[in-house]
Amino acid sequence: MLRQLPRALLPFVLITTVALVAPAPSSAVTKAEVDAACADYRDAKARLDEAIERRDTAQERYAELYADRLVMSDRTDRLAEQIAEREQEIEELRDQVVEWAVEAYMAADTEISGIVLRTRSLDQLITGQEFLKVITNERVAAVDRMMVIVTETEVMRENLEDETTELLLLEAEAYGVAQVLAGSTDEALGAARELKGECRRLYQQRQQQLALAAAREAARRSGGAGGAPASLTPGFLCPLDPGATSFINDWGFPRSGGRKHRGNDMFAPMRQPVRAVADGSVLLTSGGLGGRGLWLSAANGVDYYYAHLDGYARDIVTGANVRRGQVIAYNGNTGNARGGAPHVHFQLHPNGRTSRPVNPYPTLVRACR
């Protein structure tokens, strides 16, 4: 029914229905109930809680560093381009001055010739007061322009050196945080697998309740970035093993070129299997910011985008039909994530891949926590 509404009403529907999605389990699970059920596995549960806390803290810091690195990288790129343009202009002006001096010398202008012969370098000739006195006002203005550009360029070079150093420090810190994130994710996955039976069921149920509460609060604060109602994504399956992945509501975080993040980054170990969240057909993409990517078009017209993949599962080609839960790819860090912590950038497009994406965080929370 939602897809039959006028497009203009869709944002209103998404915002007003977010508080109604994914009702909490019929009976809320308390921490005391989890502790009682997990008495035999208390150590594993404690390790899991600690690993999740370290992982979430590391992921938040990594997201901040990632955004800072992109902004800083943009600045250094722009500075390098501006310096190159100014160096080109300096060379053109230098060539003009040399041409003027040669013309005067060849014309046997004794005044110019004497100045040329007495100077030891081009810079000495250009900046010499004798030379400036005997050339035309137009040429003096050109020389002045060149000297201004030289001074400005030196300042820009110093700024570039400082910002390049800062970028290297950011990259080093990001690498360290990525190692912590990867280690904590692996530890959390191992500890989660040690939980069994009723302990695991109640623990996961309580984590889902806490995550849903956080998602609702985030949706309430985010207005139009509140995500899609559950009715739009029936049967939605977590793209990665819930025990192996971590993600935060990083929708809208700054990205390079003044862009905003239009998805959620789901961190997991390298080559972790990535699954189809619904039945549908796939379109493989390659190159650009997303590196190896995949579009999944569900039967109800909703499209999902996976980016930064390390590779695809066997028999997954453009046009292939896949089933919900089928392994379609493997987690990686291709595209502009190269060298960073492996993760899947995940997007949700309610009206197909040509439509604007909405925040997938509430949808992911319902399925992955």
Side-chain angles (χ1 to χ4, degrees), residues 66-86:
Y66 186 80
D68 290 346
R69 286 164 62 204
L70 289 173
V71 171
M72 183 65 69
S73 181
D74 273 357
R75 287 214 301 264
T76 56
D77 288 346
R78 284 197 299 272
L79 265 175
E81 290 174 1
Q82 290 169 1
I83 289 172
E85 290 172 358
R86 287 173 179 247

Side-chain angles (χ1 to χ4, degrees), residues 102-160:
V102 170
E103 286 177 358
Y105 185 79
M106 296 301 291
D109 184 323
T110 55
E111 193 171 12
I112 291 286
S113 299
I115 296 172
V116 171
L117 291 173
R118 287 195 298 272
T119 54
R120 298 179 180 178
S121 69
L122 177 61
D123 287 336
Q124 185 182 357
L125 171 66
I126 293 171
T127 58
Q129 290 301 312
E130 291 180 282
F131 180 74
L132 295 177
K133 287 179 182 178
V134 298
I135 61 177
T136 65
N137 289 336
E138 177 188 356
R139 292 175 178 179
V140 170
V143 172
D144 289 343
R145 167 65 179 160
M146 187 186 75
M147 299 312 298
V148 169
I149 296 173
V150 168
T151 302
E152 290 178 348
T153 304
E154 286 304 316
V155 173
M156 293 172 70
R157 284 199 188 96
E158 292 175 3
N159 291 339
L160 177 59

Side-chain angles (χ1 to χ4, degrees), residues 174-195:
Y175 178 79
V177 173
Q179 298 301 106
V180 173
L181 177 58
S184 298
T185 299
D186 289 342
E187 185 179 351
L189 178 59
R193 286 173 175 167
E194 290 183 20
L195 301 180

Side-chain angles (χ1 to χ4, degrees), residues 170-237:
L170 282 173
E171 289 176 343
E173 184 181 356
Y175 178 79
V177 173
Q179 298 301 106
V180 173
L181 177 58
S184 298
T185 299
D186 289 342
E187 185 179 351
L189 178 59
R193 286 173 175 167
E194 290 183 20
L195 301 180
K196 297 182 181 178
E198 186 70 359
C199 168
R200 175 180 291 181
R201 186 186 71 79
L202 290 178
Y203 183 89
Q204 290 179 342
Q205 188 172 331
R206 176 159 174 76
Q207 291 299 311
Q208 183 181 40
Q209 288 170 189
L210 294 174
L212 278 171
R216 288 196 180 101
E217 177 61 17
R220 183 186 68 79
R221 293 180 179 180
S222 65
S231 59
L232 197 63
T233 57
F236 182 92
L237 183 81

